[in-house]
Structures are given as structure tokens and as C-alpha cells.
Amino acid sequence: MADPLDFTTCAGQDGRSDGAAVPPTDPFRALHVHYGMLLGVEDFEAIGAYHRGKGWLHNAWLHREGVVWGFGVSRSGRELRVDPGLALDAVGRELHLDVPACLDLAAWYDEHKSRDDLGATIDPLGAVTLHAHVVALFKVCPAREVPALAEPCNAGAGTAPSRLVETVELRLVPGLAPPPPAPPYHRLRLLFCIDEAQLDPLGIILPADQEVLTARATILALPHDQQPAATLVALRRFAALDAIDLRPAATSDDELQVWTPARPPAPLVLANIHDLRLVPLADGTWQVDTATVDPTIRSTHIATRTIQELLCGPCCDGAPAPTSTPVTSTIPEPPEVPEPPKVPEPGPEDEDDERITSEVDPALNDNVDPGPLRDATGKLLPQDPTPRLPGTRDPAVPPSIVSATLKPSSSGLILTIVADRPLVPASVTPAAFSLTAFDPNTGWRSLNFGLAVSSNHTQVTLSITTSPVPALVRLVIHGGPTPLLDADLRPLDDFTQTFTQEGA
């Protein structure tokens, strides 16, 4: 039979009604017993503190906060209801509610309407509209009173609770829930296209984030069967760097706590309540007109078995691409080289016929001068008046871009740039490129990208992280102070190209 829970004697989440602290936790100090040892209250508390601390230590660092099951939030009339559930707070403590809890919204407003932070608006008819959010906090309640010896200075005997029941305190807090703190493992989240790259005050990607973007672009430029192994190498590296950055939470005076990554009370957000509207009635009470409950803002834990099975599904990059409007360039692609005409096999009657070889298109013969050089737009490049060997390029002509294509990817966009000759890899840096996107509502913005160079140094791949895919993307390759260079250290001139996505 469950112990009765006396809520009238249950104090806040940080203490008990008799002034005693929440049971101690010490995950790194265990009781060492030996024969003939005299045990007291502190010794038995140490037993509980060690195991309690171990569990909370594991929860706090390896699981973080989130709902495990239940804790549904709904409204019916004036009543806001929270269903039973189990969750973890950011300190690693279990939040357990075994019975439904209800709150009268009209009574709550009457009690809190004088608060400065309520943020309510009142229309001419007296109706009140506000936002709020529901949180759950860890709470310890003493229960099951038993006879107990009084302290030495007190006469007689008394009673004391023999159990401490862990439960939750539910609160409705004015205003929508604040944005959650930045989650840990930023490098890994950036590697897998979950986080955006961070910028310094000048708008330049931080070096640590640029390393991740470059690694991701290098992986995506590999053949598909080589990407998993390369991803594992990157995951291990950036996980190690992210773990080095983790620290326990600091107290108000910046002293590190022993082990917890967060400080109490660590409320767990369960739901936002949008547009709670209360209409005054003639009898002085309130009628709840509207209230939209949004529980999807909460953090939620997924069972390990489910995660294992989800990992068996197809990878985003390996799955068939969803049907979507293709991304097209505003500048036409270079014309395809026509296939050479089929030459009939010479027969006995044609052995001396020279027409068989003379009919082959000279432009398809490697030993024939290919003619004037053109850039990706079809514009003629400067020609060399000095005779040169057939099939070779003018050494005085700077390098140029043959093609630039933009395609969707699982993380945003992939831009592939092909040069007419090998480039010096050290010259292929983010400073040589500018990528911007235009939105009719917000205007121009810069795009974050990682880059990789192919093994033959003629192809550069830019991995662009963006969601949603913009309607217009503009590429500028700068020929200024940090241009792309070919093997003879000739700089590439400015190159621009604009891409549009129909229907975006």
C-alpha cells in the first residue's frame, strides 16, 4: 500500500516543512562499513546520498532534461489539466506525477492579476488576453509519521516523517516559455546540419565552426561508399572537442558546483498557453473564452530501443530524392560536346580510300587545335597571337570557370564549381567566395558554407546549410586580394552567377 502523501505539510521544491534540506546527494563518496562499526543517522543518509547521486549524475549528463512519458496538458472550460507523467529535470532528478492535477484558470488570474510581469491586455469590454506556460519542478514531501525520540534538550516524545516522497510542483507562469539554452555538442550539431555556424562581430564564421564546415564539405565530396567512414572520423574528433568544452553549472558567485550541469530549481517546461482570454461575467467571475495549448515545445526523451530501430532506416543522402522543383541557373550551361560520328569499319574495297579518316570532325581530334577559348558564359577569352602546339592552352590566359551548378541536398544545397585547369588548393579559401540569398520579404542575407577541393584540383564543392531553400542564390568568386590561383600562380578574374529555384 502506498504511503499517504500530506500535501498540506509539503514545502517547496528546495526544502521540507520542518526546515530540513532535500536529501543529500554525493555520487563520489560511499559508506565504508566494517565489523563493529557504530552507525548513526548520517551514515544511513550517506547510503542514500551515494546511490541517489549516482542516478542523478547519470541522468543529468547523459540524458539531460525531458519528458519520458505522459504529462499531457489540456483545457476544458475554466480548467487546465496536467495528466500523470514521468520526466527528468536538468539536474537529473525524476519528476513523477501519479494523479491528474487541475488548475482553475479564472481563480489563477484573480490571484495573479496584480503582477507586473503578467503581460495582459484588456480590451474595451474588459476581456483579458495573456500568454502563459506550464512548468514542473522537483518537490520532496515528508510522509508516514511515526513515533520518534525527542532531541536531548526537549522533553517527551514526538513524531517525525519516516518517508520522503518525490513528486512535482506544477506552476502556471505568466508569459511564453523563454528560449531554451544552447544545447551541448555544437560542433556535432553543426556537422549534421542541425545548428547554424556562429559568426564573430565582423560576420566571419568562427574558426572552430569553419573547421566543421570544411570537414562536412570534404565528406560530401567523397564517393558515397566512402562517406560513412569519413563521417565516423569527424564525429569522434568533434565529439572529443565538444566534451572538452562542457562544464558543470556555476553558482551565483561563479563557484563550480560539484557535479550537476544545471542549478536547482531547474523547471521543466511542459506547454505554452497562447491567447488565454478571460471574459468578465455579470456576477464578477470570469469565463475562459479561448486558450491554445502547445505541448510540442517541451523536450522529450526517446527510448533507446526506438533510436536503435530508427538508425536502421535509410540515410537522408542515400534515400531517393523527394520530388521537388529543380534548381536551375539563370545562365545557360555550356553546350554538350557532340558524340563523334560513327566511322564504318574499312572493307577490302576501302583500304585505299582516304575519305574514311578525312570525314572525322577535326574538333574531336586531340591533335587538332580546339579553337578559341570561351568561359562558362560563352564569352571569348583573350587569344594568344603566338603559335602554340595543337591542343594546348595559352599560358598567358588566366584560369576560368567552366561551369557552376547548384543542386539540392539533404542539408540544403550543393554548389559544384569546375575550373578549366588545376587550382592551387591553398588559394581555395572561404575568402575567395561570396554566397548570398535573396528573400522577397527579408532581402539579402549571407549563406554559411563549407568547401572541399577534388583530388585533381579542378573542382570545388561548396556545401551550403540553409532551410528553407531560397528562391535566388548569387555566387561571386572574388578576383581581388585573395583570388583563386592556377599552378602557375595566375589569378582567376571575378566570376558571378545567379541561380533561381522555380516555385520556391
Side-chain angles (χ1 to χ4, degrees):
M1 178 175 157
D3 294 324
L5 182 60
D6 182 7
F7 285 96
T8 62
T9 63
C10 189
Q13 73 281 358
D14 293 322
R16 299 203 318 238
S17 58
D18 58 1
V22 169
T25 56
D26 192 342
F28 307 116
R29 187 175 303 176
L31 179 67
H32 177 62
V33 297
H34 55 81
Y35 180 79
M37 178 177 176
L38 180 63
L39 299 176
V41 172
E42 291 184 358
D43 299 308
F44 287 101
E45 286 185 342
I47 296 175
Y50 177 73
H51 294 287
R52 185 182 303 109
K54 285 292 187 187
W56 291 358
L57 176 72
H58 177 92
N59 292 341
W61 286 107
L62 298 182
H63 297 296
R64 303 284 170 158
E65 70 275 16
V67 174
V68 178
W69 63 266
F71 277 121
V73 182
S74 58
R75 181 189 71 89
S76 178
R78 294 173 33 147
E79 187 176 82
L80 187 69
R81 174 189 172 105
V82 178
D83 294 329
L86 177 67
L88 302 176
D89 69 7
V91 184
R93 302 173 296 190
E94 294 88 355
L95 307 179
H96 174 237
L97 180 65
D98 56 3
V99 294
C102 300
L103 173 70
D104 187 319
L105 293 171
W108 175 87
Y109 174 72
D110 280 333
E111 181 180 352
H112 296 88
K113 59 185 177 182
S114 60
R115 292 180 54 161
D116 295 334
D117 62 347
L118 194 60
T121 60
I122 304 176
D123 65 17
L125 299 178
V128 178
T129 303
L130 56 91
H131 305 299
H133 63 280
V134 182
V135 299
L137 301 102
F138 179 76
K139 191 170 186 177
V140 173
C141 297
R144 196 175 178 182
E145 297 280 334
V146 296
L149 295 176
E151 296 290 334
C153 295
N154 295 331
T159 61
S162 63
R163 301 288 188 274
L164 293 177
V165 179
E166 295 180 0
T167 182
V168 296
E169 177 179 346
L170 299 171
R171 295 181 184 175
L172 184 63
V173 183
L176 298 178
Y185 302 98
H186 168 68
R187 292 178 181 85
L188 290 183
R189 297 172 69 87
L190 179 60
L191 177 66
F192 290 98
C193 310
I194 299 173
D195 278 5
E196 293 284 342
Q198 298 176 350
L199 308 178
D200 66 12
L202 298 178
I204 301 174
I205 299 175
L206 297 179
D209 285 12
Q210 184 59 59
E211 180 187 2
V212 179
L213 295 176
T214 301
R216 188 174 69 198
T218 302
I219 293 171
L220 294 175
L222 293 173
H224 191 74
D225 60 344
Q226 298 179 20
Q227 292 183 12
T231 302
L232 178 59
V233 172
L235 182 143
R236 288 172 173 169
R237 171 175 175 78
F238 296 125
L241 297 176
D242 279 337
I244 290 172
D245 291 341
L246 295 178
R247 293 289 186 277
T251 58
S252 57
D253 56 359
D254 292 331
E255 293 180 359
L256 289 179
Q257 295 194 9
V258 176
W259 52 269
T260 177
R263 298 194 308 269
L268 177 68
V269 176
L270 298 181
N272 267 336
I273 312 297
H274 294 269
D275 300 318
L276 171 58
R277 187 170 186 269
L278 300 100
V279 179
L281 301 178
D283 59 0
T285 61
W286 298 92
Q287 173 185 331
V288 178
D289 185 23
T290 60
T292 302
V293 179
D294 178 17
T296 62
I297 63 164
R298 65 175 62 180
S299 299
T300 305
H301 285 293
I302 303 174
T304 305
R305 176 179 174 181
T306 302
I307 296 175
Q308 292 174 174
E309 295 178 350
L310 291 174
L311 292 176
C312 295
C315 298
C316 294
D317 287 338
T323 303
S324 60
T325 305
V327 178
T328 59
S329 170
T330 58
I331 299 178
E333 298 291 337
E336 296 184 358
V337 178
E339 294 185 0
K342 294 183 179 180
V343 179
E345 294 292 334
E349 66 278 12
D350 297 325
E351 289 181 356
D352 298 328
D353 193 344
E354 297 180 355
R355 292 176 300 173
I356 295 176
T357 56
S358 64
E359 291 177 356
V360 178
D361 187 352
L364 302 174
N365 193 326
D366 290 338
N367 296 321
V368 178
D369 190 336
L373 299 176
R374 301 176 183 269
D375 61 15
T377 65
K379 181 181 177 181
L380 284 173
L381 295 172
Q383 304 301 305
D384 179 20
T386 305
R388 60 186 187 274
L389 293 176
T392 61
R393 293 184 178 275
D394 177 7
V397 176
S400 63
I401 300 301
V402 175
S403 65
T405 57
L406 186 68
K407 297 180 180 180
S409 72
S410 59
S411 59
L413 297 168
I414 293 291
L415 177 57
T416 304
I417 303 168
V418 179
D420 66 344
R421 68 195 73 179
L423 302 172
V424 178
S427 72
V428 184
T429 64
F433 302 88
S434 173
L435 275 175
T436 53
F438 182 77
D439 183 274
N441 299 319
T442 60
W444 289 99
R445 63 183 177 91
S446 297
L447 296 175
N448 297 329
F449 62 90
L451 58 84
V453 184
S454 63
S455 58
N456 61 4
H457 302 162
T458 61
Q459 178 176 302
V460 180
T461 302
L462 304 186
S463 174
I464 307 168
T465 303
T466 180
S467 179
V469 175
L472 186 145
V473 175
R474 183 169 176 80
L475 165 68
V476 178
I477 301 179
H478 304 291
T482 58
L484 302 179
L485 302 174
D486 67 5
D488 294 319
L489 302 185
R490 287 183 294 261
L492 181 122
D493 291 333
D494 287 346
F495 174 85
T496 61
Q497 189 158 336
T498 304
F499 307 87
T500 59
Q501 181 186 21
E502 298 177 2

